[in-house]
Amino acid sequence: KLRQTSQDTFEYKYSERKSNTRLPFSIRVLLEAAIRNCDEFLVKKGDVENILNWKVVQHKNVEVPFKPARVILQDFTGVPAVVDFAAMRDAVKKLGGDPEKINPICPADLVIDHSIQVDFNRRSHLQSDSLKKNQDLEFERNKERFEFLKWGSQAFKNMRIIPPGSGIIHQVNLEYLARVVMDQDGYYYPDSVVGTDSHTTMIDGLGVLGWGVGGIEAEAVMLGQPISMVLPEVVGYKLLGNPQPLVTSTDIVLTVTKHLRQVGVVGKFVEFFGPGVAQLSIADRATIANMCPEYGATAAYFPVDDISIGYLIQTGRDKEKVMCTKKYLEAVGMLRDFKNSSQDPDFTQVVELDLHTVVPCCSGPKRPQDKVAVSDMKKDFETCLGAKQGFKGFQIAPDRHNTIVKFNFEGCDFELAHGSVVIAAITSCTNTSNPSVMLGAGLLAKKAVEAGLTVKPYIKTSLSPGSGVVTYYLRESGVMSYLSQLGFDVVGYGCMTCIGNSGPLPESVVAAITQGDLVAVGVLSGNRNFEGRVHPNTRANYLASPPLVIAYAIAGTIRIDFEKEPLGINASGKKIFLKDIWPTRNEIQVVEHQFVIPGMFKEVYQKIETVNESWNALDAPSDKLYTWNPKSTYIKSPPFFDGLVCARFPFESSQIHCFLFLKHRVLQPKNNSSLFFLVFFSLNSLTPREFNSYGSRRGNDAVMARGTFANIRLVNKFIDKQGPQTVHFPSGEILDVFDAAERYKQAGHPLIVLAGKEYGAGSSRDWAAKGPFLLGVKAVLAESYERIHRSNLVGMGVIPLQYLPGEDAGSLGLTGRERYTIIIPEKLKPQMNIQIKPQMNIGSSVKHNGFIHLMHLSMLL
């Protein structure tokens, strides 16, 4: 039970309850946080009891509060957060308060990693230093954003900015920012984190409980509010056996992703256990945890063990602090021995994977869960060519499967066909954080060069490490020069190709793809490959390990059977097969033990906040209130705090028009070069060179509202073709989405969106909720939601409604041409039934599937 030890402090007497020793380790982190923060206001004694009784309560959809130890942001989602904080200061001043009181209470780190693009690649007589050119262009494009962020780092307390050129957010978190155990004035407690990027889960591999949240949720946490979450079920994922010698961590994570997609873990924690975990390095575990969003779980937790402790020392953390961390975890029963089955906790469900059954594989061509064994890649792609348009189909007529288009590049003639590789990128913290696969790629490159193999010059090759440490050990181990000879030069330190910042393809390549309507291919060591994400001209995109990225680049096509066909023929006429150059696990381990050492991490990270001279030279304002530039197309004071009123319950909203009628898995908007985007910038007298990326404009609501639902491949059932258009029902006109929203808004008509399954899937972006709010959308009715997006909708006052099981628009006879009435009851709670009344007398009960926070209800109508 809880015992009050002072006016504001409660102490839990563990000796009186032994059941906590059977709790999953991830739930123990929630329990500790609840106990430590129990104040009978935000966190109550009943919350602690609910978590402690997890085994019983887990199935009852009980909400509990969680206060993470810290928040982490990247710049695409971080800029809007800092904009909102700046606007809060303005609002407080207008109300007569002290604006300097607006600061993050929970520590926040913002890593700038989303701005750099692969504009230049490969060292040649045309491009002598791709890295410097890309970084210079990054600062040219983003100077205003960077100045704003630098202002934020100086104006706000408890906020640290990691400058551009430092690395990728999750790798920097893993190698540097994560504490594992927090030390606050000699008071120890488990590290935990939420981040404004869905792949924040990568840190779970180190034993730090973390997951991605929307920007709106993150801002609330930064202001001292707990996250309200349903106490999750915990799926125990038991790992057995040892990986085969040729298998990489990438192969393992793609196998796990497909498996857990089949199991169904949406909204649940996954906790790894079993003797097989002890066979995985922290980098391997982090790779598996990184792709947690792709298999749908909230978190993918690996409890701390001795390997975790060893990683902290390897990455240059202070040894004395590391030993204190270990002692604390031992004392509170949080240090795991995966070989000791007596420590195995109770789980909701247990599933198993024998690591020995994992085979080399890729995933694609359009989804990360669509795993394909490397031995089946050629056959699978050729099947996809003729299959019906969909996740595994391109619907290419049989007589066009062998189309060949000739083109000229830099004075030489080449050919492209369906399956030709035009992008090969070693990218993303998913893999660049792992020395074994990075050194494996380097050793494969060395053997390939020595065997006389090359990569065709028109293929856009790139290497974007997740931190400077990677460059350090690749260079020291002697493999960097071989990577460079194959075109895999370091082009920048950031997410780059993985988030669609792949830059332009050569004009002659684009022309050939267009001429032949070819299904060109991108191969990347990333975590997402949705159609249109990597590059507009690569309709097929495959996730692969870094060594396989190089192998497919050398082959030049995805239509190759590595077991039967050679990668290439060298100058002597000898056929070189993949097996001839693939490095053994022992070769990789020898190099890793020799060159991945603590001194590298210390040297790189001790100067991480000061090493970027361009950042140091930025002249940021020093005022505590930000001076908004009305002409800026990057940073604009948002309208969210204008005209707030108090909502009263119950209330009824009627005459709601259906704005869009969408199919399954509608992705959130991201890096969209839509017509709206171009028109807006043209009206603001910007040249194409100044457009930059869509995501870099997330600090400007005028841009973001125009980009909402502006995906060129949007499928709206009201329209017989793909594109960002809809029907304006009062007039019957077909209009661009933004123009239709403006018409509805001017007439005072609220809007609803009808959707299928997994609405909002993709990256977690607050603007995917802010945008619909600004367009006048009051509710979304879908079959299911992506978790973070659903929370973001709630945060903006857009009601996420869900059909009852077994029902959808078709079964209810809804066409979207009705007008709807939504009745909100006085006592609103998650997953209750509410009434939606279509005008055409087709009524249905639907389930309200969100967490309505009182602080946001004023925005509902």
Side-chain angles (χ1 to χ4, degrees):
K1 64 181 182 180
L2 288 169
R3 177 170 62 86
Q4 190 169 0
T5 57
S6 67
Q7 185 174 355
D8 300 311
T9 304
F10 292 87
E11 180 182 281
Y12 187 78
K13 299 181 70 176
Y14 281 94
S15 59
E16 297 184 20
R17 293 288 292 272
K18 300 295 184 183
S19 60
N20 66 294
T21 60
R22 300 297 300 174
L23 287 175
F25 283 70
S26 52
I27 298 299
R28 297 181 202 184
V29 178
L30 301 184
L31 176 62
E32 188 282 334
I35 294 169
R36 176 167 38 86
N37 292 293
C38 186
D39 57 3
E40 282 301 312
F41 178 60
L42 293 175
V43 184
K44 300 181 179 181
K45 287 185 271 187
D47 298 320
V48 175
E49 291 291 340
N50 281 333
I51 299 173
L52 190 61
N53 293 325
W54 168 84
K55 190 171 183 178
V56 175
V57 175
Q58 61 173 309
H59 304 295
K60 297 183 178 180
N61 292 314
V62 172
E63 284 187 81
V64 294
F66 175 55
K67 296 188 75 172
R70 55 193 178 91
V71 175
I72 192 165
L73 312 96
Q74 36 91 337
D75 56 301
F76 270 15
T77 50
V79 167
V82 180
V83 165
D84 289 347
F85 269 80
M88 285 183 220
R89 282 196 169 181
D90 290 345
V92 168
K93 184 179 181 182
K94 288 179 182 177
L95 294 171
D98 180 4
E100 292 192 37
K101 289 185 177 179
I102 300 296
N103 290 290
I105 296 173
C106 182
D109 295 302
L110 191 157
V111 181
I112 301 175
D113 67 350
H114 272 50
S115 299
I116 192 166
Q117 302 181 39
V118 191
D119 290 285
F120 301 96
N121 69 306
R122 294 201 183 201
R123 294 176 182 269
S124 69
H125 64 284
L126 297 176
Q127 300 170 9
S128 58
D129 192 341
S130 300
L131 174 60
K132 185 178 188 306
K133 286 185 175 183
N134 287 329
Q135 290 180 331
D136 288 346
L137 194 51
E138 175 190 20
F139 266 82
E140 179 184 329
R141 288 171 171 153
N142 297 282
K143 182 180 179 183
E144 185 180 345
R145 295 173 65 244
F146 291 171
E147 286 176 341
F148 174 70
L149 289 175
K150 192 169 184 179
W151 167 82
S153 69
Q154 298 167 354
F156 295 108
K157 300 174 183 176
N158 237 3
M159 179 182 289
R160 172 171 50 177
I161 307 289
I162 304 298
S166 302
I168 303 175
I169 176 174
H170 307 305
Q171 187 162 341
V172 173
N173 192 20
L174 182 72
E175 295 176 351
Y176 176 61
L177 298 174
R179 284 77 148 175
V180 178
V181 170
M182 304 293 286
D183 179 358
Q184 187 174 5
D185 302 322
Y187 185 78
Y188 293 89
Y189 55 95
D191 187 8
S192 57
V193 63
V194 292
T196 56
D197 189 282
S198 52
H199 295 100
T200 300
T201 52
M202 183 171 182
I203 203 62
D204 289 334
L206 185 57
V208 176
L209 184 63
W211 62 86
V213 297
I216 301 156
E217 276 187 298
E219 289 176 37
V221 173
M222 291 165 70
L223 290 170
Q225 297 294 307
I227 289 173
S228 183
M229 60 184 295
V230 170
L231 191 62
E233 296 181 0
V234 182
V235 175
Y237 199 87
K238 189 172 185 178
L239 295 177
L240 303 166
N242 295 304
Q244 296 184 52
L246 299 181
V247 165
T248 68
S249 59
T250 313
D251 303 320
I252 296 172
V253 71
L254 296 180
T255 302
V256 169
T257 297
K258 181 175 182 178
H259 186 198
L260 285 176
R261 272 283 177 182
Q262 294 170 337
V263 171
V265 293
V266 174
K268 303 176 184 179
F269 283 4
V270 174
E271 184 168 311
F272 293 85
F273 75 110
V277 178
Q279 306 302 316
L280 302 177
S281 68
I282 294 303
D284 292 338
R285 300 176 193 180
T287 298
I288 295 169
N290 178 283
M291 288 192 69
C292 174
E294 281 63 56
Y295 42 85
T298 299
Y301 190 65
F302 289 82
V304 181
D305 67 348
D306 283 337
I307 294 177
S308 314
I309 300 299
Y311 179 82
L312 294 177
I313 295 173
Q314 182 194 27
T315 50
R317 267 80 163 197
D318 182 89
K319 288 186 178 180
E320 184 176 342
K321 291 183 179 180
V322 172
M323 289 303 104
C324 289
T325 292
K326 183 176 182 179
K327 289 179 181 178
Y328 165 79
L329 293 170
E330 287 176 331
V332 298
M334 292 285 284
L335 190 68
R336 187 72 163 94
D337 179 359
F338 290 105
K339 296 179 180 179
N340 182 359
S341 61
S342 68
Q343 286 190 4
D344 292 352
D346 295 327
F347 293 111
T348 308
Q349 175 187 3
V350 172
V351 292
E352 295 184 358
L353 174 67
D354 184 347
L355 293 173
H356 193 71
T357 64
V358 176
V359 298
C361 57
C362 300
S363 279
K366 301 181 184 182
R367 297 190 303 180
Q369 64 262 42
D370 293 330
K371 178 178 76 79
V372 185
V374 171
S375 58
D376 296 331
M377 281 286 287
K378 180 179 181 178
K379 180 181 178 181
D380 185 80
F381 178 81
E382 291 176 345
T383 300
C384 290
L385 269 183
K388 183 180 179 181
Q389 183 70 36
F391 295 128
K392 294 287 288 186
F394 298 101
Q395 206 161 338
I396 303 296
D399 62 346
R400 294 184 48 244
H401 285 196
N402 295 314
T403 298
I404 293 176
V405 179
K406 296 182 179 181
F407 70 102
N408 187 276
F409 178 75
E410 293 187 352
C412 297
D413 293 328
F414 297 96
E415 295 179 345
L416 285 184
H418 294 297
S420 290
V421 174
V422 295
I423 290 178
I426 298 177
T427 182
S428 173
C429 52
T430 307
N431 284 289
T432 67
S433 62
N434 195 324
S436 66
V437 292
M438 295 303 290
L439 287 168
L443 291 172
L444 184 142
K446 180 176 184 292
K447 292 185 177 186
V449 170
E450 291 172 345
L453 298 177
T454 60
V455 174
K456 294 180 177 66
Y458 63 81
I459 297 177
K460 189 159 192 179
T461 49
S462 60
L463 168 60
S464 50
S467 79
V469 173
V470 179
T471 307
Y472 204 143
Y473 66 66
L474 289 178
R475 185 177 61 243
E476 292 299 307
S477 62
V479 298
M480 181 64 83
S481 62
Y482 297 101
L483 287 164
S484 182
Q485 288 181 64
L486 293 180
F488 290 91
D489 297 292
V490 174
V491 295
Y493 296 91
C495 298
M496 304 190 88
T497 300
C498 187
I499 61 166
N501 286 359
S502 49
L505 288 174
E507 291 182 4
S508 58
V509 172
V510 173
I513 293 171
T514 305
Q515 177 186 335
D517 190 25
L518 299 177
V519 180
V521 175
V523 184
L524 64 154
S525 62
N527 47 46
R528 286 187 175 161
N529 56 339
F530 307 128
E531 187 174 6
R533 174 186 173 96
V534 174
H535 193 281
N537 296 113
T538 57
R539 290 158 66 184
N541 297 281
Y542 288 90
L543 306 181
S545 66
L548 278 176
V549 170
I550 296 176
Y552 279 113
I554 294 170
T557 180
I558 213 78
R559 300 168 78 171
I560 181 173
D561 184 338
F562 287 131
E563 295 179 3
K564 300 176 182 178
E565 301 173 66
L567 277 175
I569 301 174
N570 64 16
S572 302
K574 181 181 179 181
K575 294 181 179 180
I576 308 298
F577 288 82
L578 181 59
K579 63 183 179 181
D580 298 327
I581 63 171
W582 193 272
T584 66
R585 183 181 298 275
N586 184 61
E587 286 179 277
I588 296 170
Q589 290 176 344
V590 169
V591 176
E592 182 176 350
H593 291 155
Q594 182 177 356
F595 292 103
V596 184
I597 57 177
M600 289 183 176
F601 292 88
K602 289 180 180 178
E603 183 175 339
V604 169
Y605 283 111
Q606 68 184 3
K607 54 188 179 182
I608 191 171
E609 295 179 48
T610 59
V611 72
N612 192 315
E613 294 299 330
S614 297
W615 175 265
N616 297 339
L618 287 176
D619 185 18
S622 58
D623 299 335
K624 297 302 180 181
L625 293 175
Y626 187 70
T627 303
W628 306 96
N629 178 2
K631 296 182 179 180
S632 174
T633 58
Y634 281 107
I635 308 296
K636 180 176 176 289
S637 182
F640 308 127
F641 301 101
D642 298 340
L644 291 181
V645 295
C646 183
R648 301 296 180 185
F649 297 93
F651 66 73
E652 180 176 312
S653 181
S654 59
Q655 298 299 305
I656 301 175
H657 286 262
C658 185
F659 185 43
L660 296 165
F661 194 174
L662 306 173
K663 294 185 177 182
H664 300 314
R665 196 171 176 81
V666 176
L667 304 184
Q668 299 170 23
K670 188 180 180 73
N671 293 348
N672 223 331
S673 56
S674 68
L675 178 62
F676 306 107
F677 190 32
L678 303 179
V679 169
F680 176 81
F681 290 145
S682 298
L683 291 174
N684 283 272
S685 302
L686 296 182
T687 64
R689 178 179 173 82
E690 298 172 298
F691 283 179
N692 204 349
S693 67
Y694 178 67
S696 67
R697 306 281 175 170
R698 286 193 172 119
N700 188 317
D701 62 272
V703 175
M704 301 306 294
R706 283 166 173 80
T708 302
F709 297 117
N711 194 308
I712 58 175
R713 292 184 175 85
L714 181 75
V715 178
N716 179 8
K717 293 183 181 181
F718 296 148
I719 307 295
D720 59 4
K721 62 179 181 179
Q722 291 185 355
Q725 291 186 315
T726 194
V727 175
H728 178 253
F729 286 110
S731 67
E733 293 180 69
I734 295 177
L735 300 173
D736 291 334
V737 167
F738 179 76
D739 293 335
E742 288 294 289
R743 287 265 197 102
Y744 281 120
K745 191 183 300 183
Q746 290 167 6
H749 294 312
L751 302 173
I752 188 172
V753 172
L754 300 185
K757 297 176 182 177
E758 297 184 68
Y759 176 77
S763 301
S764 57
R765 300 290 180 255
D766 55 346
W767 271 111
K770 289 178 177 177
F773 168 78
L774 291 175
L775 294 181
V777 175
K778 301 300 180 183
V780 176
L781 176 56
E783 294 177 53
S784 64
Y785 292 85
E786 192 275 338
R787 176 185 60 84
I788 298 173
H789 182 61
R790 182 183 60 199
S791 296
N792 275 351
L793 289 174
V794 173
M796 288 309 301
V798 178
I799 311 174
L801 302 163
Q802 185 168 324
Y803 294 100
L804 291 176
E807 294 185 346
D808 57 24
S811 68
L812 298 173
L814 299 179
T815 66
R817 298 177 183 274
E818 307 85 1
R819 280 178 287 181
Y820 299 81
T821 296
I822 300 176
I823 302 172
I824 304 296
E826 182 175 2
K827 294 183 179 180
L828 191 63
K829 62 181 181 180
Q831 303 198 21
M832 72 181 300
N833 288 353
I834 67 171
Q835 292 292 317
I836 293 183
K837 298 179 179 179
Q839 187 181 28
M840 298 172 67
N841 298 319
I842 304 174
S844 171
S845 296
V846 295
K847 182 171 65 175
H848 179 272
N849 193 19
F851 306 96
I852 298 293
H853 300 291
L854 292 176
M855 62 185 291
H856 299 306
L857 285 178
S858 59
M859 298 183 185
L860 280 171
L861 292 175

